[in-house]
Amino acid sequence: MTTPETVRVASDAFAPPTTTTAELAPLYRQMLAIRRMEEACAKAYSNGKIGGFLHLIIGQEAVCVGAISALRPEDYVIATYREHGHAYAKGVAARPIMAELYGKKTGLVKGLGGSMHLFDKATNFLGGHGIVGGHVPLGAGAAFASKYRNDGRVTLCFFGEGASTIGGTTEGIALAALWKLPIVFICENNQYSMGTPNDRSFAVNDVSLRALAHGMARDRFDADDVIKVKRRIAEAVERARTTSEPTLIEILTYRFRGHSMSDPGLYRTKEEVEEWKRKDPLNGTREQLLALGMAETDIEALEEDVRIEIEDSVRFAEESAPADDYHSYVEKR
Amino acid sequence: MAVITYREALNQAMREEMERDANIFVMGEEVGYYNGAYKVTQGLLQKFGPKRIIDAPIAELGFAGIGVGAAMVGLRPIIEFMTWNFSLVAIDQIVNAAAKMFQMSGGQYNVPMVFRGPSGPAVQVGSQHSQSFESFYANVPGLKVMMPSTAYDAKGMLKTAIREDNPVVFMEGETLYNTTWEVPDGEYLIPFGKADVKREGKHITLIAWSKMVWTCLDAAKALAADGIECEVVDVRSLRPLDVDTLATSVRKTGRCVIVEVGWPVAGFGAEVAYQMQRHCMDALDAPIERVTSDDVPMPYAKNLEIEVQPQVNDVVAAVRRALYLE
Ligand SMILES: Cc1ncc(C[n+]2csc(CCOP(=O)(O)OP(=O)(O)O)c2C)c(N)n1
Ligand SMILES: [Mg+2]
């Protein structure tokens, strides 16, 4: 059994991992595309083009991008309602994501799901889920199937720290530990569950410690460096793939916007938000690229490319026909 | 008389009852510092303090169960679900604990508590957040189920629910919080099992609850232009059900349309239809019509969402069918 002591936690001295522009530039591009996509969503929401609940991941991009970059295409990802970035990082194009949010026929799930319910079988993206904690056992289920079939796949299961208190999460983790399922649980600790700061959510502000009770490997670190996220998730993915041992990982991060578009975020101070914005992983990654020798003009070209991609996705969504079928998918026929 | 919102009415009910009885507390997600996800508990933390207005983390099964346990030994909890969609992770405590406790303990432990929160489809929030579970809860002996449609009803009914010595499922209309109604200045209570005629008419009875009462009133207005006088009866209390008031109206008009925003199969309207045919068979001039949402999980796209739910024109069409005008 893995003892907790064998696993690194954030307090360990840990030198920033080395990387290359070849590795880092695509990750920067993904993070930037997600940022721009989320900004475009916010704008469309304000213009009444997108409805319902819209939860943006702005500020947290290094988590989904870094973590999912440690996977193979056949691996599974499952996430919450704050999942546009996870879907994109798993390989879903901006066009069907945007069209889905617009409620169009060309949307990823045909206009039936909206922002909270992106799914994509082609990229093994097992969905965006709206009931907090409800998807965690589903992730364990996918991992169970991988073990059952011995297909060598790993599941990444993302959830918020607010989800750590609910039964679905707790039970999903317990069963994965008991049955040694090839899964990595990633708690995106963005410090708040809606308006509730962590000290009013749980008695001990370290979700990764829950792993101890299950003899499960754990890790805990900041999301300030996308390569660090990639490397440390990769260790856990490797553990899952080779030994079928689950890991519980807590990544400390922050959402720059409110919980959803309808939340003005009055429960935190401007100073606190500004403090985190100074650690914006996007800026850090851009500087890293320059330091690694990538030319400013090349970075700008990449950024221009992203701008075009997201603008195109918005145009695609605008021009697509409205969703028109809600009867065909109640059950498989 | 003052005109207040449905939201304010609920807030006043809790405020007044909490002033009256120190055993009452409110527990739920974001009910305190955030003043409620839908602002129903606005100002209550400030007034009653964190001992009585308790912010819970995301653990519905846990805090619903804490409510039941506290109620068994004499407190009077009001458990808020951010929406009733999330009650499904707590339904074990509502059904297997709260509803059965008095009978299971041979009449020793009653459970004086209210489970409350918004219910029914909102706007474009998708299948997991757009549901109406009254038919689930109304199926359970040991529970009472209330669904007010107006600010007036909301206040009088919630006060009654809070004073009740048994568990009450109190479902608020998620899209009704900003609606307004006249409310008397003094205290009033609306008893369980008391339906309300919201509009009088002689040609046909429309039976509904919560938001669908408003849809029926709009349909009645539209039909009045064609000389069709609809009587709109608001069920208000699904369990216990006021069969008398409903049947009196149906016997008077001889025709009945039952409108609900939930799914059709085994929906509560089917129970109402059974009761009406049982009590009004000889007075009925046409088969009882039901209008419900389509038998599908709620789609996200706005145009589809509107198609799925009962609209005024669906009610009008059902009325015309029941009057053999189609
Ligand atoms: C069972 C359940 N209860 C309540 C909610 C309402 N809700 C949606 S998101 C959320 C906060 C979740 O916080 P966290 O898990 O930290 O994730 P974050 O939103 O910060 O990414 C709440 C209370 C829900 N969707 N499901
Ligand atoms: Mg959070």
Side-chain angles (χ1 to χ4, degrees), chain A residues 50-53 100-103 111-117 129-132 162-163 165-166 193-196 200-201 263-264 267 322-327 330, chain B residues 29-30 33-34 37-38 55-61 82 85-86 89 123-129 131 174 294-304 307-308:
Chain A
I50 295 175
F53 293 136
E100 183 57 36
L101 272 62
Y102 271 68
L112 297 175
S115 164
M116 298 193 286
H117 306 306
H129 298 264
I131 305 301
V132 167
T165 48
I166 198 164
S193 157
M194 209 171 259
T196 304
R200 282 197 279 113
S201 270
D263 169 31
Y267 42 82
D324 60 0
D325 182 3
Y326 58 88
H327 280 297
V330 178
Chain B
E29 290 155 20
E30 311 289 353
Y33 289 93
Y34 202 78
Y38 294 84
D55 278 318
I58 309 173
E60 281 85 355
L61 181 90
M82 190 174 281
N85 298 291
F86 315 139
V89 295
V123 183
Q124 283 201 273
V125 292
S127 60
Q128 292 185 322
H129 285 75
Q131 313 181 83
E174 186 160 338
D294 287 7
D295 198 16
V296 299
M298 187 68 77
Y300 160 77
K302 196 170 204 162
N303 56 320
L304 302 186
E307 264 182 69
V308 163

Side-chain angles (χ1 to χ4, degrees), chain B residues 12 21 33-34 38 71 92 129 131 139 160 165 197 206 215 221 229 232 260 262 273 276 279 293 304 306 318:
Chain B
Q12 284 182 11
D21 184 346
Y33 289 93
Y34 202 78
Y38 294 84
D92 176 58
H129 285 75
Q131 313 181 83
N139 189 236
T160 298
D165 283 333
V197 177
L206 308 184
T215 304
K221 233 178 277 167
E229 300 292 332
V232 178
E260 65 186 304
M276 291 307 101
H279 291 91
S293 277
L304 302 186
I306 291 168

